[in-house]
PDB file of all heavy atoms in Angstrom:
ATOM      1  N   LEU A  22     -36.392  68.835 -54.249  1.00 33.00           N
ATOM      2  CA  LEU A  22     -36.959  67.783 -53.411  1.00 33.00           C
ATOM      3  C   LEU A  22     -36.878  68.110 -51.922  1.00 33.00           C
ATOM      4  O   LEU A  22     -37.126  67.279 -51.091  1.00 33.00           O
ATOM      5  CB  LEU A  22     -36.220  66.459 -53.666  1.00 33.00           C
ATOM      6  CG  LEU A  22     -36.489  65.792 -55.010  1.00 33.00           C
ATOM      7  CD1 LEU A  22     -35.630  64.552 -55.150  1.00 33.00           C
ATOM      8  CD2 LEU A  22     -37.959  65.438 -55.152  1.00 33.00           C
ATOM      9  N   ILE A  23     -36.494  69.343 -51.599  1.00 47.00           N
ATOM     10  CA  ILE A  23     -36.371  69.729 -50.201  1.00 47.00           C
ATOM     11  C   ILE A  23     -37.463  70.728 -49.849  1.00 47.00           C
ATOM     12  O   ILE A  23     -37.692  71.684 -50.584  1.00 47.00           O
ATOM     13  CB  ILE A  23     -34.980  70.329 -49.920  1.00 47.00           C
ATOM     14  CG1 ILE A  23     -33.901  69.283 -50.226  1.00 47.00           C
ATOM     15  CG2 ILE A  23     -34.857  70.793 -48.474  1.00 47.00           C
ATOM     16  CD1 ILE A  23     -32.498  69.826 -50.106  1.00 47.00           C
ATOM     17  N   ASN A  24     -38.163  70.496 -48.750  1.00 66.00           N
ATOM     18  CA  ASN A  24     -39.210  71.408 -48.327  1.00 66.00           C
ATOM     19  C   ASN A  24     -38.652  72.824 -48.245  1.00 66.00           C
ATOM     20  O   ASN A  24     -37.530  73.053 -47.819  1.00 66.00           O
ATOM     21  CB  ASN A  24     -39.722  70.960 -46.950  1.00 66.00           C
ATOM     22  CG  ASN A  24     -40.808  71.870 -46.436  1.00 66.00           C
ATOM     23  OD1 ASN A  24     -40.553  72.987 -46.003  1.00 66.00           O
ATOM     24  ND2 ASN A  24     -42.027  71.386 -46.493  1.00 66.00           N
ATOM     25  N   ALA A  25     -39.470  73.789 -48.658  1.00 71.00           N
ATOM     26  CA  ALA A  25     -39.006  75.176 -48.720  1.00 71.00           C
ATOM     27  C   ALA A  25     -38.491  75.679 -47.382  1.00 71.00           C
ATOM     28  O   ALA A  25     -37.574  76.496 -47.335  1.00 71.00           O
ATOM     29  CB  ALA A  25     -40.138  76.066 -49.219  1.00 71.00           C
ATOM     30  N   TRP A  26     -39.056  75.188 -46.273  1.00 77.00           N
ATOM     31  CA  TRP A  26     -38.577  75.635 -44.963  1.00 77.00           C
ATOM     32  C   TRP A  26     -37.149  75.166 -44.699  1.00 77.00           C
ATOM     33  O   TRP A  26     -36.426  75.802 -43.944  1.00 77.00           O
ATOM     34  CB  TRP A  26     -39.491  75.117 -43.851  1.00 77.00           C
ATOM     35  CG  TRP A  26     -40.806  75.807 -43.809  1.00 77.00           C
ATOM     36  CD1 TRP A  26     -42.039  75.262 -44.030  1.00 77.00           C
ATOM     37  CD2 TRP A  26     -41.049  77.198 -43.558  1.00 77.00           C
ATOM     38  NE1 TRP A  26     -43.014  76.226 -43.940  1.00 77.00           N
ATOM     39  CE2 TRP A  26     -42.436  77.415 -43.644  1.00 77.00           C
ATOM     40  CE3 TRP A  26     -40.208  78.278 -43.278  1.00 77.00           C
ATOM     41  CZ2 TRP A  26     -43.007  78.670 -43.455  1.00 77.00           C
ATOM     42  CZ3 TRP A  26     -40.786  79.541 -43.088  1.00 77.00           C
ATOM     43  CH2 TRP A  26     -42.157  79.713 -43.174  1.00 77.00           C
ATOM     44  N   LEU A  27     -36.764  74.063 -45.306  1.00 76.00           N
ATOM     45  CA  LEU A  27     -35.414  73.543 -45.068  1.00 76.00           C
ATOM     46  C   LEU A  27     -34.368  74.238 -45.918  1.00 76.00           C
ATOM     47  O   LEU A  27     -33.178  74.117 -45.662  1.00 76.00           O
ATOM     48  CB  LEU A  27     -35.375  72.028 -45.308  1.00 76.00           C
ATOM     49  CG  LEU A  27     -36.234  71.184 -44.357  1.00 76.00           C
ATOM     50  CD1 LEU A  27     -36.100  69.711 -44.673  1.00 76.00           C
ATOM     51  CD2 LEU A  27     -35.846  71.443 -42.905  1.00 76.00           C
ATOM     52  N   SER A  28     -34.802  74.959 -46.942  1.00 65.00           N
ATOM     53  CA  SER A  28     -33.819  75.664 -47.767  1.00 65.00           C
ATOM     54  C   SER A  28     -33.407  76.972 -47.101  1.00 65.00           C
ATOM     55  O   SER A  28     -32.257  77.375 -47.170  1.00 65.00           O
ATOM     56  CB  SER A  28     -34.368  75.926 -49.161  1.00 65.00           C
ATOM     57  OG  SER A  28     -35.471  76.803 -49.091  1.00 65.00           O
ATOM     58  N   GLY A  29     -34.385  77.637 -46.451  1.00 56.00           N
ATOM     59  CA  GLY A  29     -34.079  78.847 -45.689  1.00 56.00           C
ATOM     60  C   GLY A  29     -33.380  79.927 -46.480  1.00 56.00           C
ATOM     61  O   GLY A  29     -32.536  80.640 -45.948  1.00 56.00           O
ATOM     62  N   ASP A  30     -33.700  80.055 -47.764  1.00 52.00           N
ATOM     63  CA  ASP A  30     -32.978  81.012 -48.609  1.00 52.00           C
ATOM     64  C   ASP A  30     -33.907  82.140 -49.036  1.00 52.00           C
ATOM     65  O   ASP A  30     -34.546  82.070 -50.071  1.00 52.00           O
ATOM     66  CB  ASP A  30     -32.403  80.291 -49.829  1.00 52.00           C
ATOM     67  CG  ASP A  30     -31.433  81.177 -50.594  1.00 52.00           C
ATOM     68  OD1 ASP A  30     -31.326  82.359 -50.241  1.00 52.00           O
ATOM     69  OD2 ASP A  30     -30.786  80.680 -51.531  1.00 52.00           O
ATOM     70  N   SER A  31     -33.978  83.195 -48.228  1.00 47.00           N
ATOM     71  CA  SER A  31     -34.863  84.306 -48.560  1.00 47.00           C
ATOM     72  C   SER A  31     -34.326  85.129 -49.727  1.00 47.00           C
ATOM     73  O   SER A  31     -35.067  85.838 -50.392  1.00 47.00           O
ATOM     74  CB  SER A  31     -35.064  85.208 -47.337  1.00 47.00           C
ATOM     75  OG  SER A  31     -33.827  85.588 -46.802  1.00 47.00           O
ATOM     76  N   SER A  32     -33.009  85.026 -50.017  1.00 43.00           N
ATOM     77  CA  SER A  32     -32.420  85.823 -51.093  1.00 43.00           C
ATOM     78  C   SER A  32     -32.923  85.387 -52.468  1.00 43.00           C
ATOM     79  O   SER A  32     -32.901  86.146 -53.412  1.00 43.00           O
ATOM     80  CB  SER A  32     -30.891  85.725 -51.054  1.00 43.00           C
ATOM     81  OG  SER A  32     -30.475  84.389 -51.306  1.00 43.00           O
ATOM     82  N   LYS A  33     -33.361  84.150 -52.585  1.00 43.00           N
ATOM     83  CA  LYS A  33     -33.861  83.667 -53.873  1.00 43.00           C
ATOM     84  C   LYS A  33     -35.378  83.761 -53.967  1.00 43.00           C
ATOM     85  O   LYS A  33     -35.999  83.152 -54.814  1.00 43.00           O
ATOM     86  CB  LYS A  33     -33.424  82.210 -54.079  1.00 43.00           C
ATOM     87  CG  LYS A  33     -31.918  82.050 -54.251  1.00 43.00           C
ATOM     88  CD  LYS A  33     -31.547  80.597 -54.454  1.00 43.00           C
ATOM     89  CE  LYS A  33     -30.022  80.438 -54.573  1.00 43.00           C
ATOM     90  NZ  LYS A  33     -29.623  79.032 -54.644  1.00 43.00           N
ATOM     91  N   GLY A  34     -35.966  84.516 -53.044  1.00 49.00           N
ATOM     92  CA  GLY A  34     -37.405  84.703 -53.107  1.00 49.00           C
ATOM     93  C   GLY A  34     -38.202  83.535 -52.573  1.00 49.00           C
ATOM     94  O   GLY A  34     -39.403  83.462 -52.767  1.00 49.00           O
ATOM     95  N   ARG A  35     -37.530  82.608 -51.909  1.00 71.00           N
ATOM     96  CA  ARG A  35     -38.260  81.452 -51.386  1.00 71.00           C
ATOM     97  C   ARG A  35     -39.058  81.819 -50.138  1.00 71.00           C
ATOM     98  O   ARG A  35     -40.066  81.221 -49.847  1.00 71.00           O
ATOM     99  CB  ARG A  35     -37.301  80.315 -51.039  1.00 71.00           C
ATOM    100  CG  ARG A  35     -36.780  79.566 -52.251  1.00 71.00           C
ATOM    101  CD  ARG A  35     -35.736  78.557 -51.828  1.00 71.00           C
ATOM    102  NE  ARG A  35     -35.363  77.719 -52.962  1.00 71.00           N
ATOM    103  CZ  ARG A  35     -35.949  76.570 -53.257  1.00 71.00           C
ATOM    104  NH1 ARG A  35     -36.938  76.116 -52.517  1.00 71.00           N
ATOM    105  NH2 ARG A  35     -35.561  75.867 -54.296  1.00 71.00           N
ATOM    106  N   LEU A  36     -38.554  82.785 -49.375  1.00 81.00           N
ATOM    107  CA  LEU A  36     -39.223  83.204 -48.147  1.00 81.00           C
ATOM    108  C   LEU A  36     -39.529  84.691 -48.200  1.00 81.00           C
ATOM    109  O   LEU A  36     -38.671  85.495 -48.538  1.00 81.00           O
ATOM    110  CB  LEU A  36     -38.335  82.917 -46.926  1.00 81.00           C
ATOM    111  CG  LEU A  36     -38.204  81.465 -46.479  1.00 81.00           C
ATOM    112  CD1 LEU A  36     -37.197  81.368 -45.341  1.00 81.00           C
ATOM    113  CD2 LEU A  36     -39.542  80.918 -46.020  1.00 81.00           C
ATOM    114  N   GLU A  37     -40.767  85.020 -47.863  1.00 89.00           N
ATOM    115  CA  GLU A  37     -41.147  86.425 -47.793  1.00 89.00           C
ATOM    116  C   GLU A  37     -41.595  86.714 -46.367  1.00 89.00           C
ATOM    117  O   GLU A  37     -42.285  85.899 -45.744  1.00 89.00           O
ATOM    118  CB  GLU A  37     -42.302  86.719 -48.757  1.00 89.00           C
ATOM    119  CG  GLU A  37     -41.941  86.514 -50.220  1.00 89.00           C
ATOM    120  CD  GLU A  37     -43.148  86.675 -51.133  1.00 89.00           C
ATOM    121  OE1 GLU A  37     -44.233  87.038 -50.617  1.00 89.00           O
ATOM    122  OE2 GLU A  37     -43.005  86.442 -52.342  1.00 89.00           O
ATOM    123  N   THR A  38     -41.190  87.860 -45.823  1.00 92.00           N
ATOM    124  CA  THR A  38     -41.612  88.212 -44.469  1.00 92.00           C
ATOM    125  C   THR A  38     -42.400  89.516 -44.492  1.00 92.00           C
ATOM    126  O   THR A  38     -42.089  90.429 -45.268  1.00 92.00           O
ATOM    127  CB  THR A  38     -40.404  88.389 -43.524  1.00 92.00           C
ATOM    128  OG1 THR A  38     -39.532  89.386 -44.054  1.00 92.00           O
ATOM    129  CG2 THR A  38     -39.645  87.087 -43.363  1.00 92.00           C
ATOM    130  N   THR A  39     -43.431  89.576 -43.648  1.00 93.00           N
ATOM    131  CA  THR A  39     -44.292  90.751 -43.546  1.00 93.00           C
ATOM    132  C   THR A  39     -44.451  91.123 -42.081  1.00 93.00           C
ATOM    133  O   THR A  39     -44.709  90.247 -41.239  1.00 93.00           O
ATOM    134  CB  THR A  39     -45.694  90.456 -44.133  1.00 93.00           C
ATOM    135  OG1 THR A  39     -45.552  89.931 -45.450  1.00 93.00           O
ATOM    136  CG2 THR A  39     -46.546  91.713 -44.165  1.00 93.00           C
ATOM    137  N   HIS A  40     -44.284  92.414 -41.770  1.00 94.00           N
ATOM    138  CA  HIS A  40     -44.555  92.890 -40.409  1.00 94.00           C
ATOM    139  C   HIS A  40     -46.065  93.001 -40.221  1.00 94.00           C
ATOM    140  O   HIS A  40     -46.742  93.663 -41.008  1.00 94.00           O
ATOM    141  CB  HIS A  40     -43.880  94.243 -40.167  1.00 94.00           C
ATOM    142  CG  HIS A  40     -42.410  94.137 -39.917  1.00 94.00           C
ATOM    143  ND1 HIS A  40     -41.872  94.029 -38.662  1.00 94.00           N
ATOM    144  CD2 HIS A  40     -41.359  94.091 -40.783  1.00 94.00           C
ATOM    145  CE1 HIS A  40     -40.550  93.936 -38.747  1.00 94.00           C
ATOM    146  NE2 HIS A  40     -40.207  93.961 -40.029  1.00 94.00           N
ATOM    147  N   MET A  41     -46.584  92.377 -39.163  1.00 95.00           N
ATOM    148  CA  MET A  41     -48.039  92.293 -38.976  1.00 95.00           C
ATOM    149  C   MET A  41     -48.584  93.353 -38.031  1.00 95.00           C
ATOM    150  O   MET A  41     -49.802  93.492 -37.900  1.00 95.00           O
ATOM    151  CB  MET A  41     -48.412  90.903 -38.452  1.00 95.00           C
ATOM    152  CG  MET A  41     -48.068  89.775 -39.411  1.00 95.00           C
ATOM    153  SD  MET A  41     -48.859  89.965 -41.030  1.00 95.00           S
ATOM    154  CE  MET A  41     -50.577  89.644 -40.584  1.00 95.00           C
ATOM    155  N   LEU A  42     -47.718  94.090 -37.345  1.00 92.00           N
ATOM    156  CA  LEU A  42     -48.200  95.150 -36.456  1.00 92.00           C
ATOM    157  C   LEU A  42     -47.906  96.505 -37.080  1.00 92.00           C
ATOM    158  O   LEU A  42     -46.895  96.668 -37.774  1.00 92.00           O
ATOM    159  CB  LEU A  42     -47.530  95.042 -35.080  1.00 92.00           C
ATOM    160  CG  LEU A  42     -47.901  93.789 -34.274  1.00 92.00           C
ATOM    161  CD1 LEU A  42     -47.162  93.774 -32.940  1.00 92.00           C
ATOM    162  CD2 LEU A  42     -49.403  93.718 -34.025  1.00 92.00           C
ATOM    163  N   PRO A  43     -48.766  97.498 -36.836  1.00 83.00           N
ATOM    164  CA  PRO A  43     -48.616  98.794 -37.512  1.00 83.00           C
ATOM    165  C   PRO A  43     -47.291  99.490 -37.218  1.00 83.00           C
ATOM    166  O   PRO A  43     -46.749 100.184 -38.053  1.00 83.00           O
ATOM    167  CB  PRO A  43     -49.801  99.607 -36.970  1.00 83.00           C
ATOM    168  CG  PRO A  43     -50.258  98.892 -35.734  1.00 83.00           C
ATOM    169  CD  PRO A  43     -49.943  97.451 -35.962  1.00 83.00           C
ATOM    170  N   SER A  44     -46.758  99.311 -36.019  1.00 80.00           N
ATOM    171  CA  SER A  44     -45.475  99.920 -35.680  1.00 80.00           C
ATOM    172  C   SER A  44     -44.828  99.098 -34.584  1.00 80.00           C
ATOM    173  O   SER A  44     -45.479  98.280 -33.929  1.00 80.00           O
ATOM    174  CB  SER A  44     -45.684 101.358 -35.197  1.00 80.00           C
ATOM    175  OG  SER A  44     -46.500 101.352 -34.036  1.00 80.00           O
ATOM    176  N   GLN A  45     -43.523  99.314 -34.389  1.00 73.00           N
ATOM    177  CA  GLN A  45     -42.826  98.614 -33.316  1.00 73.00           C
ATOM    178  C   GLN A  45     -43.485  98.996 -31.988  1.00 73.00           C
ATOM    179  O   GLN A  45     -43.694 100.180 -31.717  1.00 73.00           O
ATOM    180  CB  GLN A  45     -41.353  99.008 -33.284  1.00 73.00           C
ATOM    181  CG  GLN A  45     -40.584  98.645 -34.549  1.00 73.00           C
ATOM    182  CD  GLN A  45     -40.335  97.154 -34.695  1.00 73.00           C
ATOM    183  OE1 GLN A  45     -41.109  96.450 -35.306  1.00 73.00           O
ATOM    184  NE2 GLN A  45     -39.241  96.682 -34.137  1.00 73.00           N
ATOM    185  N   THR A  46     -43.822  98.016 -31.196  1.00 77.00           N
ATOM    186  CA  THR A  46     -44.495  98.275 -29.933  1.00 77.00           C
ATOM    187  C   THR A  46     -43.651  97.666 -28.823  1.00 77.00           C
ATOM    188  O   THR A  46     -42.501  97.297 -29.032  1.00 77.00           O
ATOM    189  CB  THR A  46     -45.916  97.682 -29.981  1.00 77.00           C
ATOM    190  OG1 THR A  46     -46.531  97.849 -28.700  1.00 77.00           O
ATOM    191  CG2 THR A  46     -45.899  96.200 -30.314  1.00 77.00           C
ATOM    192  N   LEU A  47     -44.195  97.586 -27.635  1.00 92.00           N
ATOM    193  CA  LEU A  47     -43.509  96.879 -26.568  1.00 92.00           C
ATOM    194  C   LEU A  47     -43.469  95.395 -26.902  1.00 92.00           C
ATOM    195  O   LEU A  47     -44.147  94.936 -27.821  1.00 92.00           O
ATOM    196  CB  LEU A  47     -44.222  97.125 -25.233  1.00 92.00           C
ATOM    197  CG  LEU A  47     -44.183  98.570 -24.715  1.00 92.00           C
ATOM    198  CD1 LEU A  47     -45.095  98.729 -23.516  1.00 92.00           C
ATOM    199  CD2 LEU A  47     -42.759  98.966 -24.344  1.00 92.00           C
ATOM    200  N   SER A  48     -42.714  94.636 -26.146  1.00 96.00           N
ATOM    201  CA  SER A  48     -42.518  93.204 -26.410  1.00 96.00           C
ATOM    202  C   SER A  48     -43.819  92.477 -26.746  1.00 96.00           C
ATOM    203  O   SER A  48     -44.829  92.633 -26.057  1.00 96.00           O
ATOM    204  CB  SER A  48     -41.889  92.542 -25.179  1.00 96.00           C
ATOM    205  OG  SER A  48     -41.797  91.141 -25.360  1.00 96.00           O
ATOM    206  N   VAL A  49     -43.787  91.703 -27.837  1.00 96.00           N
ATOM    207  CA  VAL A  49     -44.926  90.845 -28.192  1.00 96.00           C
ATOM    208  C   VAL A  49     -44.620  89.476 -27.614  1.00 96.00           C
ATOM    209  O   VAL A  49     -43.714  88.781 -28.070  1.00 96.00           O
ATOM    210  CB  VAL A  49     -45.120  90.767 -29.724  1.00 96.00           C
ATOM    211  CG1 VAL A  49     -46.351  89.941 -30.054  1.00 96.00           C
ATOM    212  CG2 VAL A  49     -45.247  92.172 -30.314  1.00 96.00           C
TER     213      VAL A  49
END
């Protein structure tokens, strides 16, 4: 009953992160 953003548990596969730039660049 808790919104997925409030669980904040990436270890259980609730959150997935993707790098959107081809390589580390100067400050975005």
Side-chain angles (χ1 to χ4, degrees):
L22 289 177
I23 299 174
N24 179 285
W26 288 116
L27 296 181
S28 65
D30 191 353
S31 52
S32 64
K33 293 180 182 175
R35 284 174 173 269
L36 286 175
E37 296 174 5
T38 57
T39 307
H40 283 268
M41 297 302 290
L42 294 179
S44 61
Q45 298 288 92
T46 175
L47 294 171
S48 175
V49 183

